[in-house]
């Protein structure tokens, strides 16, 4: 391995460490606790080293969002790949999405609530975000209905999932009704 290759590998390792540490700190204490000073202390590198990877907290949030999007896409595909029939697939998709949001609140916030400097729904959208949407579309496109654009239906269904994900976590919706919300959503939006 050349010196240049080793340096590139070490740089990539440091970047992964920064993102993992920011994610862990955000999950434990919230995004307000994620500061460059704290991250530098936890990863045992100086702040200038941290800034050589990410110019700001915003970029770190964006990196966590991209990582989360890839994880969500994989989770959605894995869960729906074994489900039989459209109704079961859509129900499984909804449950998996809501479970992901509940189990990864800081990552979910990085993806959909905080400014990570990422473009959504245009040509500049990073591939992991496009892929997460594609994972939803793959399942929901088949149930959009006649005359309904599959991507538009997917956007509406996604928005309908985002509401309970954020409102339940904020204590605005009782968690014990989560399953009934999923059933209602699947019944009313998909007509399956």
């Amino acid at each position: 391995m050349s010196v240049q290759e080793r340096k590139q590998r070490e740089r990539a390792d440091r970047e992964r460490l920064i993102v993992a540490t920011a994610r862990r700190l955000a999950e434990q204490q919230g995004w307000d606790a994620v500061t460059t000073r704290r991250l530098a202390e936890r990863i045992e590198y100086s702040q200038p080293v941290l800034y050589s990877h990410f110019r700001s907290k915003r970029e770190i949030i964006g990196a966590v969002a991209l990582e989360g999007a890839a994880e969500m896409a994989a989770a959605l595909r894995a869960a729906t790949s074994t489900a039989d029939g459209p109704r079961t697939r859509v129900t499984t998709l909804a449950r998996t999405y809501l479970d992901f949001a509940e189990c990864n609140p800081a990552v979910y916030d990085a993806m959909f609530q905080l400014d990570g400097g990422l473009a959504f729904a245009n040509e500049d959208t990073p591939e992991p975000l496009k892929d997460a949407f594609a994972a939803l579309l793959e399942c929901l496109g088949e149930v959009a209905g006649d005359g309904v654009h599959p991507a538009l239906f997917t956007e509406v269904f996604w928005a309908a999932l985002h509401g309970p994900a954020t409102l339940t976590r904020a204590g605005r919706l009782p968690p014990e009704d989560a399953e009934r919300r999923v059933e209602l959503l699947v019944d009313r939006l998909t007509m399956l």
Side-chain angles (χ1 to χ4, degrees):
M1 172 183 297
S2 73
V3 172
Q4 181 66 22
E5 289 171 327
R6 182 182 52 78
K7 286 183 178 185
Q8 288 174 341
R9 187 188 73 225
E10 289 171 355
R11 180 171 176 76
D13 289 345
R14 266 193 315 274
E15 192 165 300
R16 280 190 294 276
L17 177 63
I18 293 166
V19 171
T21 304
R23 183 175 174 167
R24 195 168 35 258
L25 184 58
E27 291 292 2
Q28 292 168 351
Q29 300 177 31
W31 278 104
D32 287 342
V34 179
T35 63
T36 54
R37 183 182 54 75
R38 235 187 224 143
L39 285 174
E41 289 171 3
R42 293 213 175 181
I43 65 171
E44 298 178 345
Y45 283 100
S46 67
Q47 284 181 297
V49 169
L50 193 135
Y51 282 120
S52 75
H53 291 273
F54 298 99
R55 293 177 302 205
S56 66
K57 179 178 174 177
R58 180 182 187 212
E59 286 187 2
I60 294 169
I61 291 169
V64 170
L66 294 176
E67 188 176 271
E71 290 171 11
M72 180 191 285
L76 293 172
R77 286 188 175 108
T80 58
S81 69
T82 59
D84 288 331
R87 180 179 180 76
T88 303
R89 264 191 302 283
V90 172
T91 302
T92 300
L93 175 111
R95 287 182 186 133
T96 303
Y97 182 97
L98 293 172
D99 287 347
F100 182 90
E102 181 182 354
C103 294
N104 304 281
V107 173
Y108 191 83
D109 285 349
M111 293 168 65
F112 301 121
Q113 302 286 96
L114 301 174
D115 179 9
L118 303 173
F120 280 80
N122 66 41
E123 295 170 7
D124 297 335
T125 301
E127 197 55 42
L129 297 178
K130 288 180 182 179
D131 191 49
F133 185 78
L136 293 167
L137 180 61
E138 289 162 13
C139 183
L140 296 169
E142 70 178 313
V143 298
D146 293 336
V148 178
H149 192 281
L152 181 62
F153 178 78
T154 300
E155 290 171 353
V156 171
F157 199 93
W158 171 29
L161 288 172
H162 180 70
T166 56
L167 293 171
T168 302
R169 192 169 104 215
R172 305 294 197 284
L173 296 175
E176 61 271 12
D177 291 331
E179 187 59 33
R180 289 182 23 204
R181 280 187 209 96
V182 167
E183 292 299 323
L184 183 61
L185 179 64
V186 172
D187 285 344
R188 296 296 190 248
L189 285 183
T190 63
M191 303 296 183
L192 293 173

Short mmCIF file of all heavy atoms in Angstrom, two decimals, residues 126-168:
data_model
loop_
_atom_site.label_atom_id
_atom_site.label_comp_id
_atom_site.label_asym_id
_atom_site.label_seq_id
_atom_site.Cartn_x
_atom_site.Cartn_y
_atom_site.Cartn_z
N PRO A 126 -28.43 14.07 -3.11
CA PRO A 126 -27.44 13.00 -2.99
C PRO A 126 -28.07 11.61 -3.17
O PRO A 126 -29.22 11.38 -2.80
CB PRO A 126 -26.90 13.16 -1.57
CG PRO A 126 -27.19 14.58 -1.21
CD PRO A 126 -28.48 14.91 -1.92
N GLU A 127 -27.29 10.71 -3.71
CA GLU A 127 -27.78 9.36 -4.03
C GLU A 127 -28.43 8.63 -2.86
O GLU A 127 -29.47 8.00 -3.04
CB GLU A 127 -26.65 8.53 -4.64
CG GLU A 127 -27.14 7.31 -5.36
CD GLU A 127 -28.19 7.60 -6.45
OE1 GLU A 127 -28.03 8.56 -7.20
OE2 GLU A 127 -29.17 6.84 -6.52
N PRO A 128 -27.87 8.68 -1.63
CA PRO A 128 -28.55 7.96 -0.54
C PRO A 128 -29.97 8.46 -0.27
O PRO A 128 -30.85 7.66 0.06
CB PRO A 128 -27.64 8.22 0.67
CG PRO A 128 -26.30 8.46 0.09
CD PRO A 128 -26.55 9.20 -1.19
N LEU A 129 -30.21 9.75 -0.44
CA LEU A 129 -31.58 10.27 -0.26
C LEU A 129 -32.48 9.79 -1.39
O LEU A 129 -33.64 9.42 -1.16
CB LEU A 129 -31.57 11.79 -0.19
CG LEU A 129 -30.82 12.42 0.98
CD1 LEU A 129 -30.86 13.94 0.88
CD2 LEU A 129 -31.38 11.94 2.30
N LYS A 130 -31.97 9.81 -2.61
CA LYS A 130 -32.75 9.30 -3.75
C LYS A 130 -33.08 7.82 -3.54
O LYS A 130 -34.19 7.38 -3.84
CB LYS A 130 -31.97 9.47 -5.05
CG LYS A 130 -31.87 10.89 -5.53
CD LYS A 130 -31.06 10.94 -6.83
CE LYS A 130 -30.89 12.35 -7.33
NZ LYS A 130 -30.08 12.40 -8.57
N ASP A 131 -32.11 7.08 -3.03
CA ASP A 131 -32.32 5.65 -2.84
C ASP A 131 -33.34 5.38 -1.73
O ASP A 131 -34.13 4.44 -1.84
CB ASP A 131 -30.99 4.95 -2.54
CG ASP A 131 -31.13 3.45 -2.58
OD1 ASP A 131 -31.69 2.92 -3.57
OD2 ASP A 131 -30.69 2.79 -1.63
N ALA A 132 -33.33 6.18 -0.67
CA ALA A 132 -34.33 6.00 0.39
C ALA A 132 -35.73 6.24 -0.17
O ALA A 132 -36.67 5.50 0.13
CB ALA A 132 -34.04 6.93 1.56
N PHE A 133 -35.87 7.27 -0.99
CA PHE A 133 -37.17 7.52 -1.62
C PHE A 133 -37.52 6.37 -2.57
O PHE A 133 -38.68 5.92 -2.61
CB PHE A 133 -37.19 8.86 -2.36
CG PHE A 133 -38.53 9.21 -2.92
CD1 PHE A 133 -39.51 9.71 -2.09
CD2 PHE A 133 -38.82 9.01 -4.26
CE1 PHE A 133 -40.77 10.03 -2.60
CE2 PHE A 133 -40.07 9.32 -4.77
CZ PHE A 133 -41.05 9.83 -3.94
N ALA A 134 -36.54 5.89 -3.31
CA ALA A 134 -36.78 4.76 -4.22
C ALA A 134 -37.25 3.53 -3.47
O ALA A 134 -38.11 2.79 -3.96
CB ALA A 134 -35.51 4.45 -5.02
N ALA A 135 -36.72 3.31 -2.27
CA ALA A 135 -37.15 2.16 -1.47
C ALA A 135 -38.63 2.28 -1.10
O ALA A 135 -39.35 1.27 -1.07
CB ALA A 135 -36.30 2.03 -0.21
N LEU A 136 -39.08 3.48 -0.83
CA LEU A 136 -40.52 3.71 -0.59
C LEU A 136 -41.31 3.50 -1.87
O LEU A 136 -42.33 2.81 -1.89
CB LEU A 136 -40.76 5.13 -0.05
CG LEU A 136 -40.22 5.47 1.33
CD1 LEU A 136 -40.26 6.97 1.56
CD2 LEU A 136 -41.01 4.74 2.40
N LEU A 137 -40.84 4.10 -2.95
CA LEU A 137 -41.53 4.04 -4.24
C LEU A 137 -41.67 2.61 -4.76
O LEU A 137 -42.71 2.25 -5.32
CB LEU A 137 -40.80 4.91 -5.26
CG LEU A 137 -41.36 4.99 -6.66
CD1 LEU A 137 -42.76 5.57 -6.67
CD2 LEU A 137 -40.44 5.82 -7.55
N GLU A 138 -40.65 1.79 -4.56
CA GLU A 138 -40.69 0.40 -5.03
C GLU A 138 -41.88 -0.34 -4.46
O GLU A 138 -42.49 -1.17 -5.12
CB GLU A 138 -39.40 -0.33 -4.63
CG GLU A 138 -38.19 0.11 -5.40
CD GLU A 138 -36.87 -0.27 -4.74
OE1 GLU A 138 -36.87 -1.09 -3.79
OE2 GLU A 138 -35.83 0.27 -5.16
N CYS A 139 -42.22 -0.05 -3.24
CA CYS A 139 -43.32 -0.73 -2.57
C CYS A 139 -44.65 -0.01 -2.84
O CYS A 139 -45.67 -0.65 -3.07
CB CYS A 139 -43.04 -0.78 -1.08
SG CYS A 139 -44.26 -1.66 -0.12
N LEU A 140 -44.62 1.30 -2.82
CA LEU A 140 -45.87 2.07 -2.90
C LEU A 140 -46.33 2.32 -4.32
O LEU A 140 -47.53 2.53 -4.56
CB LEU A 140 -45.70 3.40 -2.16
CG LEU A 140 -45.47 3.27 -0.66
CD1 LEU A 140 -45.06 4.60 -0.05
CD2 LEU A 140 -46.72 2.72 0.02
N GLY A 141 -45.42 2.29 -5.27
CA GLY A 141 -45.79 2.55 -6.66
C GLY A 141 -46.84 1.59 -7.18
O GLY A 141 -47.72 1.97 -7.94
N GLU A 142 -46.78 0.35 -6.71
CA GLU A 142 -47.73 -0.66 -7.18
C GLU A 142 -49.14 -0.48 -6.63
O GLU A 142 -50.09 -1.07 -7.13
CB GLU A 142 -47.21 -2.07 -6.84
CG GLU A 142 -47.24 -2.40 -5.36
CD GLU A 142 -46.78 -3.82 -5.05
OE1 GLU A 142 -47.23 -4.77 -5.72
OE2 GLU A 142 -45.96 -3.96 -4.14
N VAL A 143 -49.30 0.36 -5.61
CA VAL A 143 -50.63 0.55 -5.01
C VAL A 143 -51.15 1.98 -5.17
O VAL A 143 -52.14 2.34 -4.57
CB VAL A 143 -50.62 0.15 -3.51
CG1 VAL A 143 -50.27 -1.31 -3.33
CG2 VAL A 143 -49.72 1.04 -2.70
N ALA A 144 -50.49 2.76 -6.01
CA ALA A 144 -50.87 4.17 -6.17
C ALA A 144 -52.28 4.32 -6.73
O ALA A 144 -52.98 5.26 -6.40
CB ALA A 144 -49.87 4.88 -7.07
N GLY A 145 -52.70 3.41 -7.54
CA GLY A 145 -54.04 3.47 -8.12
C GLY A 145 -54.01 4.04 -9.53
O GLY A 145 -53.06 4.68 -9.95
N ASP A 146 -55.09 3.80 -10.23
CA ASP A 146 -55.19 4.25 -11.61
C ASP A 146 -55.21 5.78 -11.68
O ASP A 146 -55.90 6.44 -10.91
CB ASP A 146 -56.47 3.71 -12.26
CG ASP A 146 -56.43 2.21 -12.43
OD1 ASP A 146 -55.32 1.65 -12.47
OD2 ASP A 146 -57.52 1.58 -12.50
N GLY A 147 -54.42 6.30 -12.59
CA GLY A 147 -54.39 7.74 -12.82
C GLY A 147 -53.62 8.53 -11.78
O GLY A 147 -53.60 9.76 -11.82
N VAL A 148 -53.00 7.85 -10.82
CA VAL A 148 -52.22 8.54 -9.78
C VAL A 148 -50.74 8.31 -10.06
O VAL A 148 -50.30 7.16 -10.21
CB VAL A 148 -52.58 8.02 -8.37
CG1 VAL A 148 -51.74 8.71 -7.31
CG2 VAL A 148 -54.07 8.21 -8.09
N HIS A 149 -49.99 9.38 -10.13
CA HIS A 149 -48.55 9.26 -10.38
C HIS A 149 -47.90 8.58 -9.17
O HIS A 149 -48.08 9.03 -8.04
CB HIS A 149 -47.94 10.64 -10.61
CG HIS A 149 -46.55 10.57 -11.13
ND1 HIS A 149 -45.46 10.31 -10.34
CD2 HIS A 149 -46.09 10.71 -12.40
CE1 HIS A 149 -44.38 10.30 -11.07
NE2 HIS A 149 -44.72 10.54 -12.33
N PRO A 150 -47.18 7.48 -9.39
CA PRO A 150 -46.61 6.73 -8.28
C PRO A 150 -45.70 7.56 -7.35
O PRO A 150 -45.74 7.39 -6.14
CB PRO A 150 -45.81 5.61 -8.97
CG PRO A 150 -46.48 5.44 -10.29
CD PRO A 150 -46.94 6.82 -10.68
N ALA A 151 -44.89 8.45 -7.91
CA ALA A 151 -44.01 9.27 -7.07
C ALA A 151 -44.82 10.24 -6.21
O ALA A 151 -44.49 10.46 -5.04
CB ALA A 151 -43.00 10.03 -7.92
N LEU A 152 -45.88 10.80 -6.78
CA LEU A 152 -46.73 11.70 -6.01
C LEU A 152 -47.43 10.95 -4.88
O LEU A 152 -47.49 11.42 -3.74
CB LEU A 152 -47.76 12.37 -6.92
CG LEU A 152 -48.70 13.36 -6.26
CD1 LEU A 152 -47.93 14.53 -5.66
CD2 LEU A 152 -49.72 13.87 -7.27
N PHE A 153 -47.93 9.77 -5.17
CA PHE A 153 -48.55 8.95 -4.13
C PHE A 153 -47.54 8.62 -3.03
O PHE A 153 -47.86 8.68 -1.84
CB PHE A 153 -49.12 7.65 -4.73
CG PHE A 153 -49.74 6.76 -3.70
CD1 PHE A 153 -50.99 7.01 -3.19
CD2 PHE A 153 -49.04 5.67 -3.21
CE1 PHE A 153 -51.56 6.19 -2.23
CE2 PHE A 153 -49.59 4.83 -2.24
CZ PHE A 153 -50.85 5.10 -1.75
N THR A 154 -46.32 8.29 -3.43
CA THR A 154 -45.27 7.97 -2.46
C THR A 154 -44.98 9.17 -1.57
O THR A 154 -44.81 9.03 -0.36
CB THR A 154 -44.00 7.48 -3.19
OG1 THR A 154 -44.34 6.31 -3.94
CG2 THR A 154 -42.89 7.15 -2.22
N GLU A 155 -44.94 10.37 -2.15
CA GLU A 155 -44.72 11.58 -1.35
C GLU A 155 -45.83 11.77 -0.31
O GLU A 155 -45.55 12.08 0.85
CB GLU A 155 -44.66 12.82 -2.24
CG GLU A 155 -43.43 12.90 -3.10
CD GLU A 155 -43.48 14.01 -4.12
OE1 GLU A 155 -44.53 14.66 -4.28
OE2 GLU A 155 -42.45 14.23 -4.78
N VAL A 156 -47.06 11.56 -0.71
CA VAL A 156 -48.19 11.72 0.21
C VAL A 156 -48.14 10.67 1.30
O VAL A 156 -48.34 10.97 2.49
CB VAL A 156 -49.53 11.68 -0.56
CG1 VAL A 156 -50.72 11.63 0.38
CG2 VAL A 156 -49.65 12.89 -1.49
N PHE A 157 -47.87 9.43 0.94
CA PHE A 157 -47.78 8.36 1.93
C PHE A 157 -46.63 8.62 2.90
O PHE A 157 -46.77 8.45 4.11
CB PHE A 157 -47.60 7.00 1.23
CG PHE A 157 -47.95 5.83 2.10
CD1 PHE A 157 -49.23 5.30 2.08
CD2 PHE A 157 -47.02 5.26 2.95
CE1 PHE A 157 -49.57 4.21 2.88
CE2 PHE A 157 -47.33 4.17 3.75
CZ PHE A 157 -48.62 3.66 3.71
N TRP A 158 -45.49 9.05 2.37
CA TRP A 158 -44.32 9.38 3.19
C TRP A 158 -44.68 10.50 4.18
O TRP A 158 -44.38 10.41 5.37
CB TRP A 158 -43.18 9.77 2.28
CG TRP A 158 -41.96 10.34 2.94
CD1 TRP A 158 -41.49 10.08 4.20
CD2 TRP A 158 -41.05 11.26 2.37
NE1 TRP A 158 -40.34 10.79 4.43
CE2 TRP A 158 -40.05 11.52 3.32
CE3 TRP A 158 -40.97 11.89 1.13
CZ2 TRP A 158 -38.98 12.39 3.08
CZ3 TRP A 158 -39.92 12.74 0.89
CH2 TRP A 158 -38.95 12.98 1.86
N ALA A 159 -45.35 11.52 3.69
CA ALA A 159 -45.77 12.62 4.58
C ALA A 159 -46.72 12.11 5.65
O ALA A 159 -46.65 12.54 6.81
CB ALA A 159 -46.43 13.73 3.76
N ALA A 160 -47.59 11.18 5.27
CA ALA A 160 -48.53 10.61 6.24
C ALA A 160 -47.80 9.77 7.29
O ALA A 160 -48.29 9.63 8.41
CB ALA A 160 -49.59 9.78 5.52
N LEU A 161 -46.67 9.21 6.96
CA LEU A 161 -45.85 8.48 7.94
C LEU A 161 -45.03 9.44 8.81
O LEU A 161 -44.83 9.21 9.99
CB LEU A 161 -44.90 7.51 7.24
CG LEU A 161 -45.52 6.28 6.61
CD1 LEU A 161 -44.47 5.53 5.79
CD2 LEU A 161 -46.11 5.37 7.67
N HIS A 162 -44.56 10.49 8.20
CA HIS A 162 -43.72 11.46 8.92
C HIS A 162 -44.50 12.11 10.06
O HIS A 162 -43.94 12.33 11.14
CB HIS A 162 -43.20 12.52 7.95
CG HIS A 162 -42.35 13.55 8.60
ND1 HIS A 162 -41.09 13.27 9.09
CD2 HIS A 162 -42.57 14.86 8.86
CE1 HIS A 162 -40.56 14.36 9.61
NE2 HIS A 162 -41.44 15.35 9.48
N GLY A 163 -45.77 12.38 9.85
CA GLY A 163 -46.58 12.99 10.90
C GLY A 163 -46.61 12.15 12.17
O GLY A 163 -46.20 12.63 13.23
N PRO A 164 -47.08 10.93 12.11
CA PRO A 164 -47.07 10.10 13.32
C PRO A 164 -45.67 9.87 13.90
O PRO A 164 -45.51 9.80 15.12
CB PRO A 164 -47.68 8.77 12.87
CG PRO A 164 -48.50 9.11 11.68
CD PRO A 164 -47.79 10.26 11.02
N ALA A 165 -44.66 9.77 13.04
CA ALA A 165 -43.29 9.56 13.53
C ALA A 165 -42.86 10.71 14.43
O ALA A 165 -42.33 10.50 15.52
CB ALA A 165 -42.32 9.40 12.37
N THR A 166 -43.11 11.93 13.99
CA THR A 166 -42.67 13.09 14.77
C THR A 166 -43.64 13.42 15.89
O THR A 166 -43.22 13.79 16.99
CB THR A 166 -42.47 14.31 13.87
OG1 THR A 166 -43.67 14.59 13.16
CG2 THR A 166 -41.34 14.09 12.88
N LEU A 167 -44.93 13.29 15.65
CA LEU A 167 -45.92 13.64 16.68
C LEU A 167 -45.94 12.65 17.84
O LEU A 167 -46.13 13.05 18.99
CB LEU A 167 -47.31 13.77 16.06
CG LEU A 167 -47.48 14.94 15.09
CD1 LEU A 167 -48.82 14.84 14.37
CD2 LEU A 167 -47.35 16.28 15.80
N THR A 168 -45.73 11.39 17.57
CA THR A 168 -45.68 10.40 18.65
C THR A 168 -44.46 10.65 19.53
O THR A 168 -44.56 10.66 20.75
CB THR A 168 -45.67 8.96 18.09
OG1 THR A 168 -46.85 8.77 17.29
CG2 THR A 168 -45.66 7.93 19.20
#
